[in-house]
Amino acid sequence: MANIGRNDPCPCGSGKKYKQCCLSKKACEASRFTWVRIRQVEGETVGQLQDFVFEHFGMEAMAAAWEEFTFDDELGPEEMERPEFESTFIPWVLFNWLADPEDERTAQLREKPVAQYFMERRGTNLELMKRRFIAEACAQPFSFFQVTHVEPGKSLTLRDLFLKREVKVFERQASQSLKRGAILFTRILTLDGQSVMFGCAPTPIPPDHMDFFDQLLESILAEKKSIDMKLMHELDGFLRAAYFDIEEELHNPVMPTLANTDGELVEYVTLNYLLHCTPHETLSALASLSMESEPELLLLEEAEFEGEELVAIEFDWLKKGNTKHGSWDNTIMGHLKIDRDRLTIEVNSVERSEAIRRKITRRLGKRARLEKEERQSQEEVLEEKDTRVLSAKEIAARKENEAFQNSPEGRRLMRETVKNHWRSWFDEPVPLLDDQTPRMAAKTPEGRKLLENLFQIYEYRSDPDDLLSPDIPALRRELGMG
């Protein structure tokens, strides 16, 4: 950011190359002085201030500041390697930190930012731009900003979620990786009409968290009535704690509680029966669970014979329709496997295991005796999946499935499935819409705001090459949202 090449875009916004504009017209020097010079002054001033801290207050003061910044973490070599140390802590400690007057390590600071001490002692020897930079850095609070527009390699347009201001910042690197909708914890400096981020925290927050920030804003306004710069400085620790909580959640996510399409908590249950009847008799008693009217038709699928005698067969337990997805013809409730004198049933909830046990009792009675019931939590299944070595049959099946998905027929089927999903999406409850359907939400201002947040999430997570990505403009048109 500190250097600009002759062939780079001119920072004055003319659209011309720097060599054709800033280098040839003195009228552009003011723009060059602000954008490029801001970054140069940032590097020089921060370096001088860090030297000043160590010279006058020592490492103990930095350790005290780090404890406050991170809420009691001790400062050591490993902590100084953390990405937020340089990107956020240093800008914070130099321009925002108000030391605890009761802490012996920082008694000399007396609740005044380091930069102000620096100005009192050396300000008269500083060039004007550095004095202006320090004043602006001390005046501007940290806040949460959402990216509303991106010009890759050039700039970001940011909306302050608390002060409701919008600002365009010159940003080369971040504008190449950030997507619209991302939320940043940062501070904005504006000098001579040009703005930059200073102290940006390293973890961008997905737009999924907008509901959290809306609630946070409401809680603040319920007590303070309005928010201004002074209050934002007072909220510094509160907002920083919110960032660290979200960062921890993003880097060490708690496994979500999964539910099946009937709303039941997912728990994998396997029922093992000993049969006192032939496989064919078992199939005859249970075939209707597959919604197949003729049991013989099942024999055309996963069946194994010895001569003309059936010895093994597998099929799904199906239920007509689906509680959650109205477009589905049926729901797979579980899987049954008959193998000689054994019946194995796999389901994904305790409720379904109890339901199938009742059905087995009614249909087979004493001809089927439950020998063992096995249960696995979501965590146990995932852990086993990570460590288990696939069999040759499973590897072959996976390759066959991947080949089909990449074939013209597979992609056609996927497109049709996705099309049906988004066709039914309009009339199905969505949790992020407070369990309203999109059509219902589009009828009220509150619902349309929720839809806007949802579209931001879809856009943030979408990949143009992914068949599953929604056509957001088409969704908007259908809902009358332009």
Side-chain angles (χ1 to χ4, degrees), residues 118-161:
F118 181 78
M119 285 290 291
E120 290 173 1
R121 299 194 181 195
R122 302 184 184 178
T124 55
N125 296 322
L126 290 178
E127 62 180 279
L128 176 61
M129 189 61 174
K130 289 185 178 180
R131 297 201 301 271
R132 291 178 60 202
F133 179 90
I134 290 173
E136 176 72 358
C138 289
Q140 292 298 326
F142 278 84
S143 185
F144 288 95
F145 294 82
Q146 186 168 41
V147 178
T148 60
H149 184 70
V150 179
E151 291 185 75
K154 296 180 181 179
S155 66
L156 299 168
T157 302
L158 307 175
R159 179 173 65 89
D160 191 326
L161 299 183

mmCIF file of all heavy atoms in Angstrom, residues 118-161:
data_model
loop_
_atom_site.group_PDB
_atom_site.id
_atom_site.type_symbol
_atom_site.label_atom_id
_atom_site.label_comp_id
_atom_site.label_asym_id
_atom_site.label_seq_id
_atom_site.Cartn_x
_atom_site.Cartn_y
_atom_site.Cartn_z
ATOM 1 N N PHE A 118 3.283 11.367 23.087
ATOM 2 C CA PHE A 118 4.278 11.562 22.031
ATOM 3 C C PHE A 118 4.162 12.972 21.463
ATOM 4 O O PHE A 118 5.179 13.662 21.254
ATOM 5 C CB PHE A 118 4.055 10.512 20.944
ATOM 6 C CG PHE A 118 5.025 10.589 19.796
ATOM 7 C CD1 PHE A 118 6.317 10.091 19.927
ATOM 8 C CD2 PHE A 118 4.651 11.146 18.584
ATOM 9 C CE1 PHE A 118 7.207 10.147 18.864
ATOM 10 C CE2 PHE A 118 5.530 11.205 17.526
ATOM 11 C CZ PHE A 118 6.815 10.702 17.664
ATOM 12 N N MET A 119 2.932 13.417 21.224
ATOM 13 C CA MET A 119 2.715 14.758 20.662
ATOM 14 C C MET A 119 3.180 15.836 21.632
ATOM 15 O O MET A 119 3.765 16.848 21.224
ATOM 16 C CB MET A 119 1.239 14.943 20.341
ATOM 17 C CG MET A 119 0.778 14.189 19.087
ATOM 18 S SD MET A 119 1.452 14.919 17.577
ATOM 19 C CE MET A 119 0.543 16.467 17.538
ATOM 20 N N GLU A 120 2.926 15.640 22.922
ATOM 21 C CA GLU A 120 3.322 16.641 23.911
ATOM 22 C C GLU A 120 4.843 16.800 23.956
ATOM 23 O O GLU A 120 5.354 17.900 24.175
ATOM 24 C CB GLU A 120 2.799 16.247 25.285
ATOM 25 C CG GLU A 120 1.290 16.369 25.417
ATOM 26 C CD GLU A 120 0.779 15.809 26.731
ATOM 27 O OE1 GLU A 120 1.618 15.339 27.546
ATOM 28 O OE2 GLU A 120 -0.447 15.815 26.953
ATOM 29 N N ARG A 121 5.550 15.685 23.768
ATOM 30 C CA ARG A 121 7.010 15.722 23.905
ATOM 31 C C ARG A 121 7.724 16.023 22.587
ATOM 32 O O ARG A 121 8.786 16.652 22.600
ATOM 33 C CB ARG A 121 7.510 14.399 24.460
ATOM 34 C CG ARG A 121 6.949 14.095 25.845
ATOM 35 C CD ARG A 121 7.703 12.976 26.523
ATOM 36 N NE ARG A 121 7.161 12.672 27.834
ATOM 37 C CZ ARG A 121 7.784 11.951 28.755
ATOM 38 N NH1 ARG A 121 8.986 11.471 28.513
ATOM 39 N NH2 ARG A 121 7.220 11.706 29.923
ATOM 40 N N ARG A 122 7.163 15.572 21.483
ATOM 41 C CA ARG A 122 7.902 15.693 20.219
ATOM 42 C C ARG A 122 7.075 16.309 19.087
ATOM 43 O O ARG A 122 7.534 16.377 17.955
ATOM 44 C CB ARG A 122 8.412 14.317 19.779
ATOM 45 C CG ARG A 122 9.304 13.642 20.815
ATOM 46 C CD ARG A 122 9.861 12.337 20.313
ATOM 47 N NE ARG A 122 10.641 11.656 21.339
ATOM 48 C CZ ARG A 122 11.212 10.467 21.176
ATOM 49 N NH1 ARG A 122 11.095 9.824 20.024
ATOM 50 N NH2 ARG A 122 11.900 9.907 22.170
ATOM 51 N N GLY A 123 5.855 16.704 19.389
ATOM 52 C CA GLY A 123 4.956 17.180 18.347
ATOM 53 C C GLY A 123 5.467 18.356 17.552
ATOM 54 O O GLY A 123 5.246 18.455 16.345
ATOM 55 N N THR A 124 6.165 19.245 18.198
ATOM 56 C CA THR A 124 6.655 20.439 17.484
ATOM 57 C C THR A 124 7.694 20.100 16.426
ATOM 58 O O THR A 124 7.933 20.897 15.517
ATOM 59 C CB THR A 124 7.270 21.436 18.497
ATOM 60 O OG1 THR A 124 8.286 20.766 19.262
ATOM 61 C CG2 THR A 124 6.195 21.976 19.437
ATOM 62 N N ASN A 125 8.311 18.926 16.563
ATOM 63 C CA ASN A 125 9.334 18.519 15.588
ATOM 64 C C ASN A 125 8.766 17.653 14.471
ATOM 65 O O ASN A 125 9.504 17.216 13.586
ATOM 66 C CB ASN A 125 10.448 17.739 16.303
ATOM 67 C CG ASN A 125 11.189 18.595 17.313
ATOM 68 O OD1 ASN A 125 11.420 19.779 17.066
ATOM 69 N ND2 ASN A 125 11.541 18.010 18.446
ATOM 70 N N LEU A 126 7.454 17.376 14.527
ATOM 71 C CA LEU A 126 6.827 16.516 13.517
ATOM 72 C C LEU A 126 6.301 17.338 12.359
ATOM 73 O O LEU A 126 5.820 18.470 12.533
ATOM 74 C CB LEU A 126 5.664 15.732 14.127
ATOM 75 C CG LEU A 126 5.994 14.617 15.121
ATOM 76 C CD1 LEU A 126 4.701 14.002 15.628
ATOM 77 C CD2 LEU A 126 6.875 13.551 14.484
ATOM 78 N N GLU A 127 6.354 16.765 11.165
ATOM 79 C CA GLU A 127 5.752 17.422 10.011
ATOM 80 C C GLU A 127 4.239 17.434 10.169
ATOM 81 O O GLU A 127 3.645 16.625 10.891
ATOM 82 C CB GLU A 127 6.159 16.713 8.715
ATOM 83 C CG GLU A 127 5.699 15.260 8.627
ATOM 84 C CD GLU A 127 6.135 14.602 7.331
ATOM 85 O OE1 GLU A 127 5.435 14.828 6.330
ATOM 86 O OE2 GLU A 127 7.136 13.870 7.332
ATOM 87 N N LEU A 128 3.591 18.349 9.479
ATOM 88 C CA LEU A 128 2.154 18.557 9.621
ATOM 89 C C LEU A 128 1.350 17.285 9.360
ATOM 90 O O LEU A 128 0.403 16.975 10.095
ATOM 91 C CB LEU A 128 1.699 19.663 8.661
ATOM 92 C CG LEU A 128 0.181 19.930 8.640
ATOM 93 C CD1 LEU A 128 -0.319 20.377 10.005
ATOM 94 C CD2 LEU A 128 -0.150 20.961 7.568
ATOM 95 N N MET A 129 1.711 16.512 8.319
ATOM 96 C CA MET A 129 0.938 15.332 7.961
ATOM 97 C C MET A 129 0.937 14.310 9.096
ATOM 98 O O MET A 129 -0.082 13.673 9.361
ATOM 99 C CB MET A 129 1.497 14.704 6.677
ATOM 100 C CG MET A 129 0.626 13.590 6.103
ATOM 101 S SD MET A 129 -1.025 14.170 5.647
ATOM 102 C CE MET A 129 -1.689 12.705 4.862
ATOM 103 N N LYS A 130 2.053 14.171 9.799
ATOM 104 C CA LYS A 130 2.108 13.209 10.900
ATOM 105 C C LYS A 130 1.248 13.685 12.071
ATOM 106 O O LYS A 130 0.581 12.892 12.729
ATOM 107 C CB LYS A 130 3.542 12.981 11.345
ATOM 108 C CG LYS A 130 4.363 12.192 10.340
ATOM 109 C CD LYS A 130 5.747 11.881 10.864
ATOM 110 C CE LYS A 130 6.541 11.047 9.845
ATOM 111 N NZ LYS A 130 7.904 10.736 10.330
ATOM 112 N N ARG A 131 1.251 14.977 12.328
ATOM 113 C CA ARG A 131 0.418 15.507 13.411
ATOM 114 C C ARG A 131 -1.063 15.307 13.078
ATOM 115 O O ARG A 131 -1.865 14.958 13.940
ATOM 116 C CB ARG A 131 0.731 16.985 13.659
ATOM 117 C CG ARG A 131 2.153 17.237 14.126
ATOM 118 C CD ARG A 131 2.278 18.591 14.832
ATOM 119 N NE ARG A 131 1.900 19.711 13.981
ATOM 120 C CZ ARG A 131 2.740 20.359 13.186
ATOM 121 N NH1 ARG A 131 4.023 19.978 13.128
ATOM 122 N NH2 ARG A 131 2.331 21.377 12.459
ATOM 123 N N ARG A 132 -1.414 15.529 11.833
ATOM 124 C CA ARG A 132 -2.810 15.342 11.407
ATOM 125 C C ARG A 132 -3.193 13.859 11.478
ATOM 126 O O ARG A 132 -4.318 13.510 11.874
ATOM 127 C CB ARG A 132 -2.993 15.863 9.981
ATOM 128 C CG ARG A 132 -2.889 17.365 9.860
ATOM 129 C CD ARG A 132 -3.042 17.799 8.414
ATOM 130 N NE ARG A 132 -4.339 17.396 7.897
ATOM 131 C CZ ARG A 132 -4.612 17.242 6.598
ATOM 132 N NH1 ARG A 132 -3.647 17.423 5.690
ATOM 133 N NH2 ARG A 132 -5.802 16.896 6.203
ATOM 134 N N PHE A 133 -2.269 12.996 11.082
ATOM 135 C CA PHE A 133 -2.535 11.556 11.138
ATOM 136 C C PHE A 133 -2.801 11.119 12.580
ATOM 137 O O PHE A 133 -3.763 10.388 12.857
ATOM 138 C CB PHE A 133 -1.342 10.775 10.568
ATOM 139 C CG PHE A 133 -1.514 9.281 10.606
ATOM 140 C CD1 PHE A 133 -2.093 8.604 9.548
ATOM 141 C CD2 PHE A 133 -1.120 8.547 11.721
ATOM 142 C CE1 PHE A 133 -2.281 7.222 9.589
ATOM 143 C CE2 PHE A 133 -1.290 7.166 11.781
ATOM 144 C CZ PHE A 133 -1.871 6.502 10.709
ATOM 145 N N ILE A 134 -1.966 11.567 13.511
ATOM 146 C CA ILE A 134 -2.132 11.184 14.912
ATOM 147 C C ILE A 134 -3.466 11.703 15.457
ATOM 148 O O ILE A 134 -4.188 10.982 16.151
ATOM 149 C CB ILE A 134 -0.957 11.715 15.757
ATOM 150 C CG1 ILE A 134 0.323 10.939 15.405
ATOM 151 C CG2 ILE A 134 -1.252 11.602 17.253
ATOM 152 C CD1 ILE A 134 1.571 11.490 16.057
ATOM 153 N N ALA A 135 -3.803 12.939 15.136
ATOM 154 C CA ALA A 135 -5.067 13.509 15.620
ATOM 155 C C ALA A 135 -6.267 12.723 15.103
ATOM 156 O O ALA A 135 -7.213 12.429 15.842
ATOM 157 C CB ALA A 135 -5.161 14.972 15.193
ATOM 158 N N GLU A 136 -6.228 12.358 13.826
ATOM 159 C CA GLU A 136 -7.347 11.610 13.235
ATOM 160 C C GLU A 136 -7.427 10.206 13.805
ATOM 161 O O GLU A 136 -8.526 9.697 14.098
ATOM 162 C CB GLU A 136 -7.174 11.550 11.711
ATOM 163 C CG GLU A 136 -8.213 10.720 10.964
ATOM 164 C CD GLU A 136 -9.588 11.349 10.907
ATOM 165 O OE1 GLU A 136 -9.784 12.430 11.474
ATOM 166 O OE2 GLU A 136 -10.489 10.726 10.282
ATOM 167 N N ALA A 137 -6.288 9.545 14.002
ATOM 168 C CA ALA A 137 -6.272 8.183 14.550
ATOM 169 C C ALA A 137 -6.811 8.159 15.978
ATOM 170 O O ALA A 137 -7.530 7.236 16.366
ATOM 171 C CB ALA A 137 -4.872 7.597 14.490
ATOM 172 N N CYS A 138 -6.468 9.159 16.768
ATOM 173 C CA CYS A 138 -6.971 9.226 18.141
ATOM 174 C C CYS A 138 -8.467 9.544 18.175
ATOM 175 O O CYS A 138 -9.182 9.104 19.074
ATOM 176 C CB CYS A 138 -6.205 10.277 18.940
ATOM 177 S SG CYS A 138 -4.495 9.817 19.332
ATOM 178 N N ALA A 139 -8.934 10.292 17.196
ATOM 179 C CA ALA A 139 -10.343 10.728 17.188
ATOM 180 C C ALA A 139 -11.287 9.631 16.720
ATOM 181 O O ALA A 139 -12.444 9.558 17.159
ATOM 182 C CB ALA A 139 -10.500 11.962 16.305
ATOM 183 N N GLN A 140 -10.813 8.746 15.815
ATOM 184 C CA GLN A 140 -11.696 7.760 15.204
ATOM 185 C C GLN A 140 -11.780 6.482 16.038
ATOM 186 O O GLN A 140 -10.754 5.883 16.355
ATOM 187 C CB GLN A 140 -11.226 7.414 13.792
ATOM 188 C CG GLN A 140 -11.366 8.543 12.792
ATOM 189 C CD GLN A 140 -12.815 8.957 12.595
ATOM 190 O OE1 GLN A 140 -13.722 8.131 12.644
ATOM 191 N NE2 GLN A 140 -13.030 10.247 12.370
ATOM 192 N N PRO A 141 -12.981 6.030 16.392
ATOM 193 C CA PRO A 141 -13.144 4.802 17.167
ATOM 194 C C PRO A 141 -13.156 3.568 16.272
ATOM 195 O O PRO A 141 -13.388 3.667 15.051
ATOM 196 C CB PRO A 141 -14.511 4.989 17.814
ATOM 197 C CG PRO A 141 -15.277 5.773 16.780
ATOM 198 C CD PRO A 141 -14.267 6.705 16.139
ATOM 199 N N PHE A 142 -12.915 2.422 16.845
ATOM 200 C CA PHE A 142 -13.132 1.164 16.138
ATOM 201 C C PHE A 142 -14.631 0.914 16.041
ATOM 202 O O PHE A 142 -15.398 1.285 16.937
ATOM 203 C CB PHE A 142 -12.463 -0.001 16.871
ATOM 204 C CG PHE A 142 -10.998 -0.139 16.598
ATOM 205 C CD1 PHE A 142 -10.071 0.612 17.306
ATOM 206 C CD2 PHE A 142 -10.547 -1.018 15.617
ATOM 207 C CE1 PHE A 142 -8.717 0.486 17.054
ATOM 208 C CE2 PHE A 142 -9.191 -1.154 15.352
ATOM 209 C CZ PHE A 142 -8.269 -0.397 16.072
ATOM 210 N N SER A 143 -15.038 0.270 14.952
ATOM 211 C CA SER A 143 -16.449 -0.070 14.778
ATOM 212 C C SER A 143 -16.535 -1.289 13.862
ATOM 213 O O SER A 143 -15.523 -1.793 13.366
ATOM 214 C CB SER A 143 -17.219 1.110 14.177
ATOM 215 O OG SER A 143 -18.608 0.829 14.114
ATOM 216 N N PHE A 144 -17.745 -1.763 13.658
ATOM 217 C CA PHE A 144 -17.987 -2.852 12.716
ATOM 218 C C PHE A 144 -18.546 -2.254 11.426
ATOM 219 O O PHE A 144 -19.525 -1.501 11.461
ATOM 220 C CB PHE A 144 -18.972 -3.869 13.287
ATOM 221 C CG PHE A 144 -18.386 -4.716 14.390
ATOM 222 C CD1 PHE A 144 -18.549 -4.374 15.710
ATOM 223 C CD2 PHE A 144 -17.667 -5.866 14.075
ATOM 224 C CE1 PHE A 144 -18.002 -5.154 16.734
ATOM 225 C CE2 PHE A 144 -17.113 -6.656 15.084
ATOM 226 C CZ PHE A 144 -17.280 -6.292 16.413
ATOM 227 N N PHE A 145 -17.921 -2.595 10.312
ATOM 228 C CA PHE A 145 -18.312 -2.083 9.000
ATOM 229 C C PHE A 145 -18.666 -3.254 8.086
ATOM 230 O O PHE A 145 -17.944 -4.257 8.052
ATOM 231 C CB PHE A 145 -17.167 -1.291 8.356
ATOM 232 C CG PHE A 145 -16.806 -0.019 9.069
ATOM 233 C CD1 PHE A 145 -15.968 -0.046 10.187
ATOM 234 C CD2 PHE A 145 -17.284 1.199 8.635
ATOM 235 C CE1 PHE A 145 -15.613 1.119 10.846
ATOM 236 C CE2 PHE A 145 -16.924 2.383 9.289
ATOM 237 C CZ PHE A 145 -16.094 2.338 10.395
ATOM 238 N N GLN A 146 -19.732 -3.096 7.319
ATOM 239 C CA GLN A 146 -20.087 -4.129 6.341
ATOM 240 C C GLN A 146 -19.716 -3.669 4.942
ATOM 241 O O GLN A 146 -19.967 -2.520 4.555
ATOM 242 C CB GLN A 146 -21.579 -4.453 6.388
ATOM 243 C CG GLN A 146 -21.949 -5.628 5.470
ATOM 244 C CD GLN A 146 -23.345 -6.148 5.712
ATOM 245 O OE1 GLN A 146 -24.272 -5.371 5.914
ATOM 246 N NE2 GLN A 146 -23.506 -7.462 5.684
ATOM 247 N N VAL A 147 -19.111 -4.576 4.182
ATOM 248 C CA VAL A 147 -18.725 -4.277 2.801
ATOM 249 C C VAL A 147 -19.980 -4.235 1.937
ATOM 250 O O VAL A 147 -20.727 -5.208 1.846
ATOM 251 C CB VAL A 147 -17.758 -5.343 2.262
ATOM 252 C CG1 VAL A 147 -17.395 -5.040 0.804
ATOM 253 C CG2 VAL A 147 -16.504 -5.422 3.116
ATOM 254 N N THR A 148 -20.236 -3.087 1.302
ATOM 255 C CA THR A 148 -21.412 -2.955 0.437
ATOM 256 C C THR A 148 -21.058 -2.942 -1.046
ATOM 257 O O THR A 148 -21.918 -3.160 -1.892
ATOM 258 C CB THR A 148 -22.193 -1.667 0.772
ATOM 259 O OG1 THR A 148 -21.340 -0.520 0.583
ATOM 260 C CG2 THR A 148 -22.687 -1.698 2.216
ATOM 261 N N HIS A 149 -19.796 -2.677 -1.363
ATOM 262 C CA HIS A 149 -19.371 -2.669 -2.771
ATOM 263 C C HIS A 149 -17.871 -2.933 -2.832
ATOM 264 O O HIS A 149 -17.122 -2.479 -1.972
ATOM 265 C CB HIS A 149 -19.699 -1.328 -3.428
ATOM 266 C CG HIS A 149 -19.365 -1.293 -4.896
ATOM 267 N ND1 HIS A 149 -20.072 -2.005 -5.842
ATOM 268 C CD2 HIS A 149 -18.381 -0.642 -5.577
ATOM 269 C CE1 HIS A 149 -19.548 -1.790 -7.043
ATOM 270 N NE2 HIS A 149 -18.528 -0.978 -6.907
ATOM 271 N N VAL A 150 -17.463 -3.667 -3.854
ATOM 272 C CA VAL A 150 -16.049 -4.015 -4.009
ATOM 273 C C VAL A 150 -15.575 -3.672 -5.414
ATOM 274 O O VAL A 150 -16.226 -4.040 -6.399
ATOM 275 C CB VAL A 150 -15.814 -5.536 -3.765
ATOM 276 C CG1 VAL A 150 -14.334 -5.874 -3.957
ATOM 277 C CG2 VAL A 150 -16.279 -5.937 -2.371
ATOM 278 N N GLU A 151 -14.485 -2.940 -5.495
ATOM 279 C CA GLU A 151 -13.756 -2.757 -6.756
ATOM 280 C C GLU A 151 -12.440 -3.496 -6.592
ATOM 281 O O GLU A 151 -11.502 -2.973 -5.972
ATOM 282 C CB GLU A 151 -13.504 -1.275 -7.029
ATOM 283 C CG GLU A 151 -14.736 -0.473 -7.358
ATOM 284 C CD GLU A 151 -14.384 0.958 -7.732
ATOM 285 O OE1 GLU A 151 -13.884 1.172 -8.855
ATOM 286 O OE2 GLU A 151 -14.586 1.845 -6.884
ATOM 287 N N PRO A 152 -12.364 -4.743 -7.101
ATOM 288 C CA PRO A 152 -11.169 -5.570 -6.857
ATOM 289 C C PRO A 152 -9.877 -4.852 -7.216
ATOM 290 O O PRO A 152 -9.734 -4.294 -8.300
ATOM 291 C CB PRO A 152 -11.407 -6.789 -7.764
ATOM 292 C CG PRO A 152 -12.900 -6.863 -7.887
ATOM 293 C CD PRO A 152 -13.358 -5.435 -7.934
ATOM 294 N N GLY A 153 -8.946 -4.872 -6.259
ATOM 295 C CA GLY A 153 -7.652 -4.248 -6.470
ATOM 296 C C GLY A 153 -7.647 -2.742 -6.294
ATOM 297 O O GLY A 153 -6.599 -2.104 -6.419
ATOM 298 N N LYS A 154 -8.815 -2.158 -5.979
ATOM 299 C CA LYS A 154 -8.883 -0.697 -5.875
ATOM 300 C C LYS A 154 -9.466 -0.233 -4.540
ATOM 301 O O LYS A 154 -8.796 0.426 -3.757
ATOM 302 C CB LYS A 154 -9.718 -0.128 -7.024
ATOM 303 C CG LYS A 154 -9.127 -0.354 -8.401
ATOM 304 C CD LYS A 154 -10.028 0.258 -9.462
ATOM 305 C CE LYS A 154 -9.455 0.029 -10.863
ATOM 306 N NZ LYS A 154 -10.339 0.595 -11.915
ATOM 307 N N SER A 155 -10.725 -0.579 -4.288
ATOM 308 C CA SER A 155 -11.375 0.025 -3.125
ATOM 309 C C SER A 155 -12.506 -0.842 -2.589
ATOM 310 O O SER A 155 -12.964 -1.790 -3.233
ATOM 311 C CB SER A 155 -11.936 1.399 -3.502
ATOM 312 O OG SER A 155 -12.990 1.252 -4.458
ATOM 313 N N LEU A 156 -12.948 -0.465 -1.380
ATOM 314 C CA LEU A 156 -14.112 -1.066 -0.739
ATOM 315 C C LEU A 156 -15.035 0.062 -0.295
ATOM 316 O O LEU A 156 -14.565 1.108 0.162
ATOM 317 C CB LEU A 156 -13.709 -1.864 0.507
ATOM 318 C CG LEU A 156 -12.755 -3.049 0.339
ATOM 319 C CD1 LEU A 156 -12.273 -3.499 1.730
ATOM 320 C CD2 LEU A 156 -13.447 -4.197 -0.378
ATOM 321 N N THR A 157 -16.324 -0.154 -0.435
ATOM 322 C CA THR A 157 -17.286 0.762 0.162
ATOM 323 C C THR A 157 -17.832 0.087 1.408
ATOM 324 O O THR A 157 -18.294 -1.055 1.354
ATOM 325 C CB THR A 157 -18.434 1.090 -0.816
ATOM 326 O OG1 THR A 157 -17.879 1.662 -2.008
ATOM 327 C CG2 THR A 157 -19.401 2.083 -0.193
ATOM 328 N N LEU A 158 -17.763 0.774 2.540
ATOM 329 C CA LEU A 158 -18.100 0.205 3.842
ATOM 330 C C LEU A 158 -19.228 0.991 4.495
ATOM 331 O O LEU A 158 -19.269 2.220 4.417
ATOM 332 C CB LEU A 158 -16.886 0.214 4.773
ATOM 333 C CG LEU A 158 -15.597 -0.434 4.257
ATOM 334 C CD1 LEU A 158 -14.479 -0.230 5.264
ATOM 335 C CD2 LEU A 158 -15.812 -1.916 3.991
ATOM 336 N N ARG A 159 -20.122 0.268 5.166
ATOM 337 C CA ARG A 159 -21.212 0.899 5.933
ATOM 338 C C ARG A 159 -20.992 0.624 7.409
ATOM 339 O O ARG A 159 -20.906 -0.532 7.820
ATOM 340 C CB ARG A 159 -22.572 0.347 5.482
ATOM 341 C CG ARG A 159 -23.767 0.943 6.244
ATOM 342 C CD ARG A 159 -25.068 0.478 5.614
ATOM 343 N NE ARG A 159 -25.239 -0.960 5.745
ATOM 344 C CZ ARG A 159 -25.840 -1.560 6.784
ATOM 345 N NH1 ARG A 159 -26.312 -0.831 7.780
ATOM 346 N NH2 ARG A 159 -25.973 -2.868 6.816
ATOM 347 N N ASP A 160 -20.899 1.682 8.198
ATOM 348 C CA ASP A 160 -20.731 1.558 9.646
ATOM 349 C C ASP A 160 -22.046 1.068 10.249
ATOM 350 O O ASP A 160 -23.082 1.736 10.134
ATOM 351 C CB ASP A 160 -20.349 2.923 10.230
ATOM 352 C CG ASP A 160 -19.896 2.834 11.678
ATOM 353 O OD1 ASP A 160 -20.430 1.990 12.418
ATOM 354 O OD2 ASP A 160 -19.020 3.631 12.069
ATOM 355 N N LEU A 161 -22.031 -0.100 10.902
ATOM 356 C CA LEU A 161 -23.255 -0.682 11.425
ATOM 357 C C LEU A 161 -23.810 0.073 12.626
ATOM 358 O O LEU A 161 -24.984 -0.087 12.964
ATOM 359 C CB LEU A 161 -23.016 -2.148 11.825
ATOM 360 C CG LEU A 161 -22.574 -3.098 10.707
ATOM 361 C CD1 LEU A 161 -22.453 -4.518 11.246
ATOM 362 C CD2 LEU A 161 -23.538 -3.052 9.537
#
